[in-house]
Amino acid sequence: MLFYSDSKRNEILLVDLEAKTEQVVLGGLRCPEGLALDWVARNLYYVDSENEVLGVCALREQTIYCAKLISDRLESPRAVVVHPGQRAIFFTQWGWEAKIERAWLDGSNRVDLVTTKLSWPNALAIDYIQNRLYWIDAKLDRIESVKFDGLDRRTSLHLPGSHPYGLTILGERLYWSEWASSSIRSAPLNGSSNSTVHLTDRRPLGIVAMHPSRQPPASSPCDTTRPNPCHHICLALWGANLHHICLCHAGFRLSGGVCMPLGTTPGEPPRVLVHGREGHLNATTVCRTSRDCNCTLDEAETPEEVCVCLQSRCITTPQPTRRRTISPPTEESKQFVSAAGLMVTNTALAFIICGAILCVLVLILLAVILARKHRRGSTSHSTDLLNEDSASQCTHSSGVGDFFAKINYRKAQKATPTFAVNFHQDKTSDDGVPTVSGNF
């Protein structure tokens, strides 16, 4: 199986390499970028830089369930990696104050690891042997590392003008992609020397190493070799071996250990989702998996359009109806309305003043946003490369974003996928650990 994020289609997709088929795991995104696979629980973590969301999709069942984990205090996220043994995820963000954070697998207990001397933390890689986190700063042209607690920060390499992009570790060596030289380069973890491993005719992006050492064994209550303790999504938590949390797919709620569609009660049959267009006959959608329902995560958040396959039918959550009773006006309410009418003239001026103040505040906010965009786009070297990297964040919503997208984004992304995770379920190492590979 191959999983990859497509920033042009704004989807995360699954490819069956044997059957040569492709299916959408999660759609409705705005700019999917980093992916990370928890190989023990088979949970796929992703970031959406435009929606500013970090989420997870459970892959262990025939039906794929997805949920958002982090959506607050997350500005322009880019990279994410997972350490099942530490039961932690690490992720970066490019916001006004760039940072690298650590959190539990469910997105809780967030801790800032790196917040200073950081500009564009573009890629992350874990050294599972020395328990260190490495990252690439695509603007400062550096490869650095810290311990999992954020201490003992070290600079492995300073590569002026190279514009490093993707990063991985294999054995005791670093491997990274460079835009300036269109190559894959390597160096020892301490950065004592570096050399070119592979030259390309294009600018390489993500890079992933495939080796059993990149998937060390770890104990987890959500291990796929055990029965699933959760109805939809199982996430191991820090602490005792069996400590875990259960989450439900968007549009569902947890009730007595079972994920129920919003607005329903236990025992109530779910309402069937009906597809069709105006002028065409509507027909009930028969499904084998939730992917056959072809709904997006954003649509799933709407109670009317839950996209999960249950009992061979795509279902939706009933929209709770809210009724309002309107009482006839009383004499007291009539007197109140009459008095309020006399106050309109006096309050009109106050509304005008408040409106003027609001307009001034909006103008100040727009000025701050434009200043931030200008700061992000400014560079001290390799101007063209940095602008294209900034444009790769799929900015579509603002005028500044449209400018970068039209000038640079398509050119930078046309020939190369953003990120790929390739794992083979039926191919294991001698110790039974599945393998992971990637394309660049």
Side-chain angles (χ1 to χ4, degrees):
M1 294 290 185
L2 170 71
F3 292 90
Y4 72 96
S5 61
D6 190 323
S7 58
K8 184 176 181 180
R9 295 169 56 178
N10 292 326
E11 295 173 334
I12 297 174
L13 301 107
L14 176 152
V15 177
D16 189 327
L17 299 177
E18 295 182 357
K20 297 182 179 180
T21 58
E22 182 179 87
Q23 293 176 311
V24 176
V25 174
L26 183 61
L29 306 174
R30 294 179 62 189
C31 185
E33 298 203 45
L35 297 177
L37 178 67
D38 178 347
W39 58 89
V40 178
R42 290 193 66 184
N43 291 327
L44 184 69
Y45 292 83
Y46 70 92
V47 295
D48 185 343
S49 61
E50 279 279 317
N51 283 327
E52 299 184 337
V53 165
L54 190 155
V56 64
C57 293
L59 310 175
R60 63 182 296 162
E61 307 292 347
Q62 185 179 26
T63 300
I64 295 179
Y65 301 106
C66 298
K68 294 180 180 179
L69 300 180
I70 301 176
S71 58
D72 65 310
R73 296 184 291 115
L74 190 66
E75 189 175 4
S76 299
R78 170 59 67 90
V80 59
V81 291
V82 59
H83 194 317
Q86 294 288 327
R87 301 188 181 182
I89 53 175
F90 304 86
F91 53 96
T92 71
Q93 51 180 314
W94 280 32
W96 180 249
E97 295 181 357
K99 64 173 63 177
I100 301 175
E101 295 184 63
R102 184 192 74 228
W104 287 0
L105 295 179
D106 66 340
S108 63
N109 289 273
R110 294 168 62 177
V111 176
D112 292 343
L113 297 184
V114 183
T115 58
T116 61
K117 298 180 181 179
L118 195 66
S119 293
W120 290 1
N122 205 56
L124 294 173
I126 295 177
D127 182 350
Y128 295 102
I129 299 176
Q130 300 298 327
N131 289 331
R132 295 187 67 87
L133 178 69
Y134 286 77
W135 74 89
I136 273 182
D137 194 312
K139 185 176 181 180
L140 301 180
D141 293 334
R142 293 177 181 174
I143 300 179
E144 300 183 71
S145 68
V146 293
K147 292 182 178 180
F148 292 156
D149 57 5
L151 301 178
D152 191 24
R153 180 173 179 174
R154 302 176 185 175
T155 299
S156 296
L157 288 163
H158 185 206
L159 308 165
S162 65
H163 196 82
Y165 194 95
L167 178 66
T168 190
I169 297 175
L170 184 59
E172 296 183 353
R173 296 189 67 86
L174 296 165
Y175 293 84
W176 69 93
S177 57
E178 282 188 4
W179 277 21
S181 61
S182 297
S183 65
I184 305 298
R185 298 182 63 81
S186 176
L189 292 175
N190 60 11
S192 58
S193 61
N194 65 86
S195 59
T196 300
V197 175
H198 180 70
L199 288 173
T200 70
D201 58 354
R202 65 189 72 177
R203 290 171 180 165
L205 299 180
I207 176 174
V208 179
M210 181 186 70
H211 193 269
S213 64
R214 300 302 300 160
Q215 292 186 337
S219 65
S220 171
C222 305
D223 194 323
T224 55
T225 60
R226 303 177 179 180
N228 192 350
C230 298
H231 190 197
H232 283 183
I233 304 171
C234 178
L235 300 173
L237 296 180
W238 180 262
N241 185 47
L242 299 179
H243 193 194
H244 68 280
I245 188 172
C246 297
L247 299 181
C248 293
H249 185 81
F252 285 73
R253 62 180 177 86
L254 195 62
S255 176
V258 177
C259 293
M260 299 290 299
L262 294 175
T264 62
T265 57
E268 178 183 350
R271 191 170 66 182
V272 175
L273 179 66
V274 176
H275 288 279
R277 297 181 179 178
E278 185 177 356
H280 294 76
L281 180 64
N282 290 351
T284 299
T285 300
V286 179
C287 58
R288 183 174 58 87
T289 71
S290 60
R291 295 189 297 272
D292 298 332
C293 299
N294 195 28
C295 295
T296 67
L297 183 61
D298 289 338
E299 291 172 338
E301 290 177 342
T302 304
E304 283 289 302
E305 296 187 36
V306 174
C307 52
V308 167
C309 181
L310 292 179
Q311 300 177 350
S312 300
R313 292 291 185 272
C314 297
I315 68 160
T316 184
T317 303
Q319 175 71 34
T321 58
R322 299 181 179 180
R323 298 181 179 180
R324 296 179 58 189
T325 58
I326 302 177
S327 302
T330 62
E331 290 297 329
E332 294 181 356
S333 63
K334 291 179 180 179
Q335 294 176 3
F336 176 79
V337 171
S338 178
L342 297 177
M343 298 175 59
V344 170
T345 302
N346 296 330
T347 57
L349 182 60
F351 279 113
I352 294 175
I353 295 175
C354 292
I357 295 175
L358 181 61
C359 290
V360 172
L361 292 177
V362 170
L363 290 176
I364 294 174
L365 179 60
L366 290 176
V368 172
I369 293 175
L370 291 177
R372 291 173 60 184
K373 293 291 185 179
H374 177 71
R375 177 183 179 274
R376 186 179 299 173
S378 63
T379 60
S380 58
H381 63 280
S382 304
T383 303
D384 293 337
L385 293 180
L386 295 181
N387 280 344
E388 290 187 23
D389 196 7
S390 178
S392 68
Q393 298 177 76
C394 317
T395 51
H396 304 305
S397 57
S398 66
V400 176
D402 290 339
F403 171 80
F404 281 124
K406 292 178 182 177
I407 299 300
N408 296 315
Y409 174 70
R410 294 178 180 174
K411 185 185 300 182
Q413 297 285 6
K414 182 176 181 181
T416 314
T418 56
F419 190 88
V421 177
N422 182 7
F423 75 92
H424 305 274
Q425 183 177 359
D426 57 345
K427 295 182 181 180
T428 59
S429 61
D430 295 338
D431 56 0
V433 179
T435 59
V436 173
S437 65
N439 298 330
F440 50 82

